[in-house]
């Protein structure tokens, strides 16, 4: 099975040479890369959030095996949809789906092998070119997550952490922050979520998102990543960069927030 690009030419360049040059630009200036157990990166069009995503990617050692978690924007497929196997294609080439990791995740609580949720989902796709440029021998496991209760996030995160630790895999949680609110509101609400992320407080993140009605679309992937990272022994988190769409458009009246964080 081949997962073809769904948003090439819209969220990022469809030309291989243009895409490589743009991603490489986001990864500059080159800096020392450090190991990480997980990260959070935004998934808007690269013109809006590519530079913010690049800030975390250029600081992280990307291993050969990566698990990408993204929210389900389309509503298609199962609540925890695992891309079942084959390859994942971008304009930069095809990435093999990691059979061992995928088999391990297929045994996790609530996970269902399912390609339907992945067909048109951009949140995972936009992460892959960054990973490709940093790790030529990349293989992926991809989970698309819909609304899940806290207990399901906890159970899935523990299973994910066990699988990632055994494989030496990095976990990428794809998420934007607040959506379509004034920039001043986004900064305040997003800070509440970022504080929980930096503290590696998965339950606190889940709770504050619900209580404060923060429209962070990937809070389920981020919650699961935090549980998994703690399972892997993570002890620290760091906000690398925060911004919002108004910094690109000049319109602060209705923005989308973006955050890049590293967990190790």
């Amino acid at each position: 099975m081949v997962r073809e690009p769904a948003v090439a030419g819209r969220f990022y360049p469809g030309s291989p040479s243009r895409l490589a040059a743009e991603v490489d630009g986001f990864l500059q200036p080159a800096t020392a890369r450090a190991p990480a157990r997980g990260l959070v990166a935004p998934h808007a069009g690269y013109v809006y959030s590519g530079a913010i995503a690049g800030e975390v990617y250029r600081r992280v050692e990307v291993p050969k095996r990566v698990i990408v978690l993204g929210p389900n924007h389309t509503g298609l497929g199962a609540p925890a949809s695992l891309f079942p196997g084959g390859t994942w294609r971008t304009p930069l080439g095809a990435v093999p789906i990691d059979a061992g990791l995928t088999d391990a995740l297929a045994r996790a609580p609530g996970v269902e092998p399912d390609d339907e949720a992945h067909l048109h989902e951009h949140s995972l796709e936009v992460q892959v070119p960054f990973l490709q440029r940093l790790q030529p021998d990349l293989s992926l496991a991809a989970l698309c997550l819909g609304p899940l209760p806290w207990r399901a996030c906890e159970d899935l995160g523990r299973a994910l952490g066990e699988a990632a630790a055994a494989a030496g895999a990095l976990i990428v949680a794809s998420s934007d922050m607040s959506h379509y609110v004034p920039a001043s509101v986004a900064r305040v609400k997003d800070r509440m979520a970022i504080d929980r992320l930096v503290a590696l407080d998965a339950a606190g993140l889940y709770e504050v998102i619900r209580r404060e009605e923060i429209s962070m679309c990937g809070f389920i992937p981020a919650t699961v990543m935090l549980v998994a990272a703690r399972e892997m022994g993570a002890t620290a988190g760091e906000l690398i960069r925060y911004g919002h769409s108004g910094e690109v458009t000049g319109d602060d009246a209705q923005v989308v927030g973006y955050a890049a964080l590293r967990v190790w």
Side-chain angles (χ1 to χ4, degrees), residues 15-239:
S15 156
S17 59
R18 284 187 55 216
L19 177 57
E22 188 161 306
V23 171
D24 288 351
F26 293 141
L27 296 172
Q28 296 300 318
T31 187
R33 297 193 178 103
R37 292 179 170 91
L39 63 85
V40 176
H43 57 235
Y46 284 3
V47 66
Y48 299 107
S49 68
I52 293 173
E55 288 285 347
V56 67
Y57 278 116
R58 71 185 181 90
R59 288 172 166 81
V60 168
E61 287 182 7
V62 175
K64 293 180 179 180
R65 308 175 81 180
V66 176
I67 301 168
V68 183
L69 312 177
N72 188 331
H73 289 89
T74 68
L76 299 172
S81 296
L82 176 67
F83 194 78
T87 58
W88 191 292
R89 188 180 298 279
T90 79
L92 299 181
V95 178
I97 296 299
D98 190 294
L101 267 177
T102 298
D103 287 347
L105 296 183
R107 297 190 292 271
V111 170
E112 298 181 40
D114 168 36
D115 65 330
E116 187 179 17
H118 293 269
L119 291 176
H120 308 293
E121 180 54 56
H122 66 275
S123 64
L124 297 97
E125 180 177 331
V126 300
Q127 307 299 338
V128 179
F130 285 97
L131 298 166
Q132 287 176 289
R133 295 304 287 173
L134 290 169
Q135 178 50 262
D137 297 321
L138 178 69
S139 65
L140 291 175
L143 269 171
C144 187
L145 302 177
L148 296 175
W150 159 249
R151 187 60 63 191
C153 291
E154 188 175 36
D155 290 345
L156 176 57
R158 286 176 175 165
L160 190 65
E162 183 178 344
L170 172 70
I171 303 173
V172 173
S174 181
S175 183
D176 294 339
M177 303 300 289
S178 289
H179 285 64
Y180 311 122
V181 296
S184 57
V185 174
R187 290 189 196 97
V188 171
K189 290 203 168 191
D190 290 345
R191 186 74 245 184
M192 296 178 189
I194 288 165
D195 285 347
R196 295 303 89 217
L197 283 160
V198 170
L200 309 188
D201 181 5
L205 174 65
Y206 193 97
E207 191 275 333
V208 78
I209 294 291
R210 294 298 182 91
R211 186 186 72 235
E212 300 295 334
E213 299 182 337
I214 302 170
S215 50
M216 177 183 175
C217 59
F219 86 94
I220 295 294
T223 297
V224 172
M225 182 276 290
L226 287 180
V227 174
R230 291 295 293 265
E231 185 76 12
M232 297 163 72
T235 58
E238 176 188 16
L239 175 66

